[in-house]
Amino acid sequence: MAVDIGGTFTDLAVEWAGPGGTARQTAKVLTTPHAPEQGVLEGIRVLLAKAGLAPGDIALFVHGTTLATNAVIERKGARTALLTTEGFRDVLALGNESRYDQYDLDIELPQPLVPRRWRVPVPERLDNTGKVLLPLDEAALRERVAFLRAEGIESLAIGFLHAFRNPAHEQRAAAILRELWPELPVSLSSEVSPEMREWERFSTTVANAYVQPLMASYLHRLRDGVQAAGFACPLFLMLSGGGLTTLETAARFPIRLVESGPAGGAIFSAHVARQRGFANVLSFDMGGTTAKICLIDDFRPQNSRTFEVARVGRFKKGSGLPLRIPVIEMVEIGAGGGSIAQVDSLGRIQVGPESAGADPGPACYGRGGTRPAVTDSNLALGRYDPKLFAGGNLPLFPERARAALAEHVGGRLGLDAPMAALGVVEMVDENMANAARVHAIESGTGYEGRVMIAFGGGGPVHGYRVAEKVGIDRVLVPSGAGVGSAIGFLRAPVGYEVVRSLYQRFASFDVAAVNALLDDMVAEAEQVVAAGAFGAATVQTRIAYMRYVGQGHEIAVRLPARTLTAADVAAIRAEYDAEYSRFFDRPVPGSDVEVMSFAVTVATEVAAAEPVAEPEAAPAPAPARTQAVRDTATGEVSDWAVYDRAAMAPGATLRGPAIVAEAETSTLVGPGWRCRVDGLGYLELVKEAA
């Protein structure tokens, strides 16, 4: 079973071995923001009843949540302090002194999670090799602890200079803290983010400490709740990097969960891409609060070691708090079904990033919301049947949607409710398309020849129009698309990544030191993975992050997953030159290369996708009904045929405009598009001209 908590809906999926092969059942319930575990437990009850299963039947429970991300964005974490080297208390405020907008005289920078009063310096100092220059002043440390206790601190981060090379001072400080204040949660930078660059390391450690009490409490409540419900199986958490880990590891390093839900969606897309043989894909996941866009190349999502959270400048790189964690590379924007629409001072329609969420939700939910959201606009355009939304579990109120659109958008622009809805939907589609264009440019690629995989509650609804805008002529909507991230959790390997800094130059490469470091990293990763692998075969991935001497940013180069020899050094250097040339056309002759850090990932093997025969063409079933729908491209209203997805057999083909409805979402087949059901039961939309 898998559960994904989103900002508006909690998605659930369960799979089991049936007489005809693997069977699956899904469910979608409203999230309960005040106590997320209550929504999970309610969803479990609904899902097990639909599937005819009992809690004791479940062998594995996988969970992902945006709770950590929301706590940072909304500044609702613990009262956190930072113990740091004397003279470096302002690293969090100074950052790297860069400006995300060079010409904004009123630039707003992200405020640190820890105010200056609680950034407490301690006398101690290591040099860049880890050698002790000034021993830790334990008497001063004890005084600082007394001050922090008096301040009511709830969580503590410890970040000392060069602790990534020698963690002794951090470890000793933590031992003293456990002696004086055993109930206080403590995060060490040498454990959370043992890499060079103080700002990123301190920021990541502070963020981990900031969310740790909240996340640990929630995870333990969830564990107790599912055990009380009769579950006796292991509980695993989805990591931002695309692997699964134990609840204990997640509670210790909750900052690694910030993108767990979106990571599940990327894993889902990668699995579907392997099934269909589509090597290069645009993953488009639109939920109730946000839309997530991820590029998948050679059947693998792009990865990154850095992530920004709580950006103060929308779409502006560098305007958020930096986190140094393994993460699947994607762009996430405030464009979901609950994103609120309004008219700004210049008379322009703006959508998001503020969301109505699940409580009170869009106006059409009838739960107290009065401001129009994207869901209200889709309903006013005729795209949803108000009686069948969310599988009929959440009836909608069209009149409330129209009233909210007329008051907050149409009244300002002299438009009736349907035309206001058209403007809102076209704007949100353009926002998502623009984010996709920028993401491709930043990744050095384009969309020619790519296939869009659309999922989430809103992805299939908006997919064809976003595809038109970015130049994609093939869209795939898998079965279970409405709860795609949850299904992705079921496809994720049990895995863990360890990153360490060890400065090396190729001119003086110490093979023995590098091998010793890599062996330690492998042992650490294997220990974490063993708790959930249950003896399954694992694979290793080793990466070195390198740059030419004097440069400021690194390029990832894969290393052999074995003990290195002196003969490997030249081959690794040649691999770096080739990778650098791929980005920048040519290498830099005569320049030495330096290695800044190493990463090791250990994960269970991903099963190969079974090929599926293409079905013979078949006619589409008779439409279940028709709906009057306003086309966002032309503004014209016409009757669109509505088909029941469950009634469409493999090979069935229909032409747009049409709607293919299912329990958790609806797929819009726009004018000029053709829809066919493939051998897996997936909907494949192809633009007629293509």
Side-chain angles (χ1 to χ4, degrees):
M1 176 180 286
V3 179
D4 173 34
I5 299 181
T8 304
F9 288 100
T10 294
D11 298 339
L12 302 96
V14 61
E15 288 185 344
W16 69 98
T22 300
R24 181 169 69 213
Q25 187 61 262
T26 61
K28 185 184 284 281
V29 298
L30 284 172
T31 296
T32 50
H34 61 285
E37 71 278 5
Q38 293 181 10
V40 173
L41 295 173
E42 171 63 16
I44 288 172
R45 185 191 64 78
V46 171
L47 181 61
L48 291 179
K50 289 176 66 176
L53 298 173
D57 295 327
I58 305 300
L60 180 65
F61 190 108
V62 185
H63 179 43
T65 175
T66 58
L67 194 60
T69 316
N70 295 342
V72 175
I73 293 173
E74 298 170 9
R75 300 293 173 122
K76 293 182 178 178
R79 290 165 64 92
T80 304
L82 170 66
L83 278 179
T84 189
T85 304
E86 193 169 54
F88 290 85
R89 70 187 298 189
D90 292 321
V91 165
L92 288 180
L94 293 171
N96 59 10
E97 299 186 354
S98 65
R99 294 166 60 89
Y100 61 87
D101 190 334
Q102 296 291 332
Y103 304 105
D104 184 354
L105 299 180
D106 299 314
I107 191 170
E108 180 184 359
L109 298 174
Q111 292 300 309
L113 295 173
V114 179
R116 194 172 195 272
R117 178 177 176 83
W118 296 341
R119 302 198 295 264
V120 179
V122 179
E124 70 84 36
R125 189 66 182 266
L126 305 173
D127 70 7
N128 64 318
T129 66
K131 178 183 175 182
V132 177
L133 299 178
L134 179 67
L136 175 67
D137 189 333
E138 297 187 7
L141 175 61
R142 292 174 187 271
E143 292 178 5
R144 308 297 194 269
V145 171
F147 164 75
L148 295 175
R149 186 187 284 270
E151 291 287 303
I153 293 302
E154 300 169 338
S155 188
L156 179 69
I158 302 178
F160 290 153
L161 198 66
H162 302 307
F164 65 90
R165 292 300 307 270
N166 180 359
H169 283 183
E170 287 193 354
Q171 291 170 351
R172 177 55 186 158
I176 293 173
L177 260 296
R178 283 190 289 270
E179 170 195 329
L180 299 176
W181 201 349
E183 69 275 16
L184 182 71
V186 177
S187 298
L188 306 184
S189 76
S190 53
E191 295 177 348
V192 176
S193 180
E195 296 185 74
M196 62 178 62
R197 296 190 173 99
E198 272 59 49
W199 178 40
E200 290 87 346
R201 179 159 57 92
F202 290 1
S203 177
T204 306
T205 308
V206 162
N208 192 77
Y210 188 73
V211 301
Q212 191 172 34
L214 172 75
M215 290 300 297
S217 172
Y218 162 69
L219 291 174
H220 292 145
R221 292 198 313 270
L222 177 65
R223 178 197 60 194
D224 295 344
V226 297
Q227 287 178 352
F231 287 78
C233 62
L235 173 59
F236 289 99
L237 275 297
M238 185 78 198
L239 295 170
S240 302
L244 302 179
T245 194
T246 61
L247 183 143
E248 291 73 22
T249 302
R252 187 180 175 197
F253 302 119
I255 201 61
R256 288 200 174 195
L257 304 178
V258 291
E259 286 290 275
S260 64
I267 296 295
F268 177 62
S269 280
H271 174 75
V272 171
R274 285 194 300 273
Q275 286 181 308
R276 284 298 312 271
F278 296 146
N280 300 317
V281 160
L282 169 64
S283 172
F284 175 49
D285 174 8
M286 184 179 179
T289 305
T290 58
K292 283 77 67 175
I293 292 163
C294 175
L295 295 174
I296 294 173
D297 295 318
D298 297 326
F299 308 110
R300 290 196 303 267
Q302 294 184 354
N303 293 304
S304 176
R305 299 157 60 232
T306 59
F307 177 72
E308 284 184 26
V309 67
R311 284 181 173 175
V312 295
R314 194 180 185 196
F315 304 145
K316 292 188 177 179
K317 199 171 184 178
S319 67
L321 299 172
L323 302 179
R324 198 79 166 175
I325 57 172
V327 65
I328 289 178
E329 181 78 51
M330 66 182 70
V331 60
E332 186 170 355
I333 64 172
S339 296
I340 293 173
Q342 58 187 339
V343 178
D344 66 14
S345 58
L346 297 178
R348 301 174 302 183
I349 295 176
Q350 284 194 334
V351 183
E354 184 182 0
S355 174
D359 187 13
C364 61
Y365 282 13
R367 298 165 60 91
T370 58
R371 300 167 67 188
V374 173
T375 298
D376 294 306
S377 302
N378 280 321
L379 181 62
L381 292 174
R383 295 175 159 197
Y384 294 144
D385 186 324
K387 298 178 182 178
L388 301 178
F389 187 76
N393 297 321
L394 183 62
L396 302 181
F397 299 87
E399 68 281 359
R400 299 189 185 187
R402 288 192 290 267
L405 285 161
E407 178 182 353
H408 294 279
V409 180
R412 296 282 305 277
L413 301 176
L415 301 174
D416 59 14
M419 289 305 293
L422 184 149
V424 170
V425 169
E426 185 68 0
M427 185 57 67
V428 77
D429 287 347
E430 182 57 36
N431 286 344
M432 292 185 292
N434 191 51
R437 296 184 196 106
V438 172
H439 187 49
I441 291 169
E442 290 178 343
S443 302
T445 186
Y447 290 117
E448 185 178 355
R450 285 187 185 268
V451 177
M452 174 188 286
I453 297 178
F455 58 100
V461 178
H462 294 259
Y464 90 89
R465 184 65 176 142
V466 175
E468 286 181 338
K469 289 175 175 289
V470 299
I472 288 177
D473 53 33
R474 187 184 299 264
V475 178
L476 197 65
V477 180
S479 54
V483 293
S485 290
I487 296 173
F489 294 169
L490 300 174
R491 308 285 177 261
V494 178
Y496 197 72
E497 180 177 277
V498 178
V499 181
R500 295 282 184 272
S501 285
L502 178 63
Y503 183 79
Q504 293 285 305
R505 287 195 181 189
F506 275 84
S508 56
F509 199 86
D510 189 338
V511 176
V514 171
N515 281 328
L517 176 73
L518 292 172
D519 289 344
D520 287 344
M521 294 166 68
V522 169
E524 180 181 342
E526 287 181 337
Q527 183 179 7
V528 174
V529 172
F534 303 113
T538 60
V539 292
Q540 286 183 30
T541 302
R542 302 184 180 192
I543 291 175
Y545 295 96
M546 312 177 187
R547 66 188 186 188
Y548 288 117
V549 173
Q551 290 185 328
H553 299 279
E554 299 87 54
I555 290 176
V557 175
R558 187 167 291 212
L559 303 178
R562 55 170 172 76
T563 300
L564 300 177
T565 67
D568 290 320
V569 176
I572 296 171
R573 165 64 198 260
E575 182 68 21
Y576 170 79
D577 287 337
E579 189 68 4
Y580 187 90
S581 299
R582 189 174 72 84
F583 280 99
F584 303 110
D585 288 336
R586 62 182 183 86
V588 179
S591 179
D592 198 6
V593 172
E594 54 190 4
V595 183
M596 311 305 290
S597 56
F598 297 86
V600 169
T601 301
V602 175
T604 53
E605 291 183 329
V606 177
E610 293 291 331
V612 176
E614 283 297 307
E616 295 183 4
R625 61 187 182 280
T626 60
Q627 284 177 204
V629 178
R630 187 179 296 270
D631 181 21
T632 57
T634 64
E636 296 178 356
V637 178
S638 61
D639 287 336
W640 289 31
V642 180
Y643 297 86
D644 180 1
R645 181 165 184 173
M648 295 185 64
T653 302
L654 59 87
R655 282 180 166 77
I659 298 174
V660 182
E662 56 187 299
E664 283 92 17
T665 187
S666 293
T667 300
L668 266 63
V669 185
W673 288 75
R674 183 179 70 253
C675 175
R676 183 184 72 97
V677 183
D678 70 8
L680 294 163
Y682 299 168
L683 302 180
E684 185 173 1
L685 281 62
V686 178
K687 204 168 184 181
E688 291 279 15

